Amino acid sequence: MKVRNERRVTVGFITLALLTALLAPPVVQAQEPVKVGFIYPDAGTFAQPGLDMRDGFLLYWGQVGNKAGGRAVELLLENKGTAKADEGLTKARKLVERDKVHILGGVISTPVAYALRTYVVEKNMPTVIMNAGADGITQKQKSDYMFRSAFANSDSSHPLGEWAYKQGYRKAVIMAMDFGAGYEQIGGFARTFIEAGGQVIQEIYTPLDAADYAPYLTSIKREADVVAVFYAGAGALRFVNQYAEFGLKGKIPLIGKGYLVDEVILPGLGDNAVGIVTSLHWSAALDAPANKRFLEAYAAKYKRPATTYAEQGYVGAQMIAQALEAVKGNVENREAFLAALGKVEVDAPRGKVKLDAYHNPIHPIYIRKVEKKGNELQNTVIATYPSTSQFWKWGPDAYLAMPPYAEMKGKWAK
Amino acid sequence: MNFWIIQILNGVSFGMLLFLLAAGLSLIFGLMKVLNLAHGSYYLLGGYLGLTVLRFTDSFLLALLGAALGITVLGILMERWFLRRIYGEPLRQALLTFGFLFIFADIALWIWGGNPQTLPKPGPFTGSIRMGAIVFPSYRLLVIAVGLVIGVGLWWLQEKTRLGAMLRAGVDDEEMAKGMGINVSLLFTVVFALGAFLAAVGGIMGGVFVGVYPGADFEVLLLAFVVVIIGGLGSLKGAFVGGLLVGLIDNFGKALVPEFALFTVFVPMAVILAIRPTGLFGRA
């Protein structure tokens, strides 16, 4: 009896020891937080978009108590001068090599995104781009490690071209800021507009820092049915106001990409903006419960209205959280985590967002019209293109066989 | 014909704005040999300050005066507390004023945020003037008028007043001016204040059609440099002619050959540097 008892105790001990050994690593692992590095600019031209993107990102993590997939999530924010390629890369190196982050996110400007691309591939680092829109990142330069919560430059331009043709516009003048994003943003419009049967009669590209649009506005061909443009930031503010000043408002309809009448510059545009139609993947006036909740929570926390950049940061956090849930917090299994990130389907403020095989969102695109509601201006949604792909109706293969928009600059006008 | 009239008016109005931006820079360099890189900040802060005053008072005139005065005080403080210690040391001056440029940019971002803004136009100048097929914003005519008034005022100050005589004496020969009993130290402060004042006026007049936003300080500084290089550093006449010239060339360049829009401002500068390195009215 005694011997048997001792044996039983021994067996019990061994079993216990084995169990502990088996259980121990997951327990220790669960206590160590998932580290997410976030890169954004907080100075210079892109400061405000950077801050908005950050605050949207933080808002979501605050709402879920900085936890996902059963693990705590630690956020490491890197700012200062991250609008430039080399500086963004330096910050990424610091986050990856010194802080040992598991995931990278953020990134406002395209040069930073391209600079990061080679690096994150080399380091196998899952990266969620929450603004930088260069088409290439999720098209010809697609990578297994880069994902998007925001947009590709031309993805919301395609619907606008078709929409414009359906309104009866046949001759368009296109204008854009003279840089990569400008060609893609306006090229997407030109391609679908021409494919529908429309004609581009004039192309004008203006220097990024053009202080005055007067010389361009006064040389727009007056026989145009519509002027389609891409302007953003201070340039948009000047453009819309000067368009009205030179008597073009009311003569030739002005349409473009949503940045032209971004919610933050609407107050500075006043009545000059009323009637302008633009396309984008979001509007603050979008009447959807998820958007309402997002807008209210953001305004309550930060005492300022949310922007499209804030929404993109928020969606980026939603995507990371959902992928972490899917792998039960085991971000160390990188293969599984990357696969989970590619399969996310989130209920974003803008609507349903999932990713295509190139990691760009398939999401609703809204055609919005600036209207006055009470004393405030807003981008009222007048048409919705649900589940829109960056490849529009062509599909990836046919689309990628066409020349990229940068090469088409100057070749649209007939 | 209409095309040319509009383009000329455009060019002149933009040129007048350039004159306002460049006059202060040129004036300060002419007398004090200080290249004030923080000049762009005066534009930016002037514009923002004007915006704030405008929000509280709803008066464009008060905004103009308030912001210009505020920036003038800022200029005086900078001259008295900082630049005064390093006269005759161009490298240190460049570093110091460049440092101020960054500090002011961050302060502006902190106070006013990063969203681009414009100043609303003063009441009577919100509309456009129509003459036949010509539509021209009336505010731009106001800019031309203000530019002319300030130009004439500065000319009068420099050529017809005692202060102007002291100023010219100081520019020509500082030692001799001191020997004649001119208070050069006070003169420096006055000129620095005047330079800041002019940039702030530019910030408000320009803030209406160019806007105020992070980065405007650098852009304005660049434009002001182009103008003073063409007109000649230290010459008010140069700033005036240079401003008009750049405004017109830039405008016609962009309207007629938009493919070269990036260079239209810099081509005249390069040409002038090649054939007359001191600028049109500058002295070696």
Side-chain angles (χ1 to χ4, degrees), chain A residues 42 48 212 215-216 218 238 245, chain B residues 7 114-115 121 128 210 213:
Chain A
D42 70 347
Q48 200 62 47
D212 191 5
Y216 304 107
T218 42
R238 267 177 240 157
E245 282 170 16
Chain B
Q7 299 301 358
N115 293 326
K121 289 177 191 164
S128 300
V210 179
Y213 49 91

Side-chain angles (χ1 to χ4, degrees), chain A residues 258-280:
Chain A
Y259 308 98
L260 185 67
V261 287
D262 193 288
E263 279 78 5
V264 300
I265 61 167
L266 270 182
L269 297 173
D271 289 345
N272 290 342
V274 173
I276 294 177
V277 173
T278 59
S279 65
L280 202 68

Side-chain angles (χ1 to χ4, degrees), chain A residues 298-358:
Chain A
Y298 189 91
K301 186 163 178 190
Y302 301 111
K303 316 282 173 232
R304 64 174 200 273
T307 63
T308 181
Y309 309 102
E311 197 260 1
Q312 291 165 183
Y314 188 85
V315 177
Q318 282 183 304
M319 283 170 49
I320 292 173
Q322 201 184 78
L324 283 172
E325 293 290 344
V327 297
K328 307 211 164 37
N330 187 7
V331 70
E332 282 77 6
N333 184 347
R334 216 162 258 179
E335 296 277 302
F337 181 72
L338 287 167
L341 204 48
K343 282 192 216 113
V344 292
E345 265 195 72
V346 298
D347 282 311
R350 77 184 78 142
K352 284 240 183 304
V353 175
K354 58 179 183 177
L355 300 181
D356 61 23
Y358 290 73

Side-chain angles (χ1 to χ4, degrees), chain B residues 200-275:
Chain B
V201 171
I204 299 181
M205 297 307 293
V208 174
F209 74 90
V210 179
V212 279
Y213 49 91
D217 42 0
F218 279 87
E219 288 173 20
V220 161
L221 186 66
L222 188 68
L223 287 174
F225 268 129
V226 172
V227 170
V228 295
I229 286 171
I230 289 177
L233 260 173
S235 159
L236 270 180
K237 207 198 297 172
F240 190 82
V241 176
L244 275 183
L245 214 57
V246 173
L248 285 166
I249 293 176
D250 182 50
N251 195 78
F252 277 103
K254 283 175 172 165
L256 299 175
V257 276
E259 296 82 3
F260 300 111
L262 279 170
F263 321 112
T264 46
V265 171
F266 301 104
V267 166
M269 181 178 87
V271 171
I272 292 280
L273 276 177
I275 57 174

Side-chain angles (χ1 to χ4, degrees), chain A residues 183-243:
Chain A
Y183 315 144
E184 293 177 350
Q185 295 263 5
I186 209 62
F189 165 85
R191 188 168 271 164
T192 54
F193 184 70
I194 292 171
E195 201 178 77
Q199 190 192 0
V200 172
I201 58 169
Q202 190 181 14
E203 282 177 74
I204 302 175
Y205 299 94
T206 56
L208 270 184
D209 56 352
D212 191 5
Y213 292 114
Y216 304 107
L217 291 169
T218 42
S219 54
I220 287 176
K221 288 190 179 161
R222 303 293 147 139
E223 66 264 33
D225 300 324
V226 68
V227 175
V229 305
F230 165 67
Y231 285 97
L237 195 61
R238 267 177 240 157
F239 187 90
V240 173
N241 282 333
Q242 297 185 359
Y243 195 84

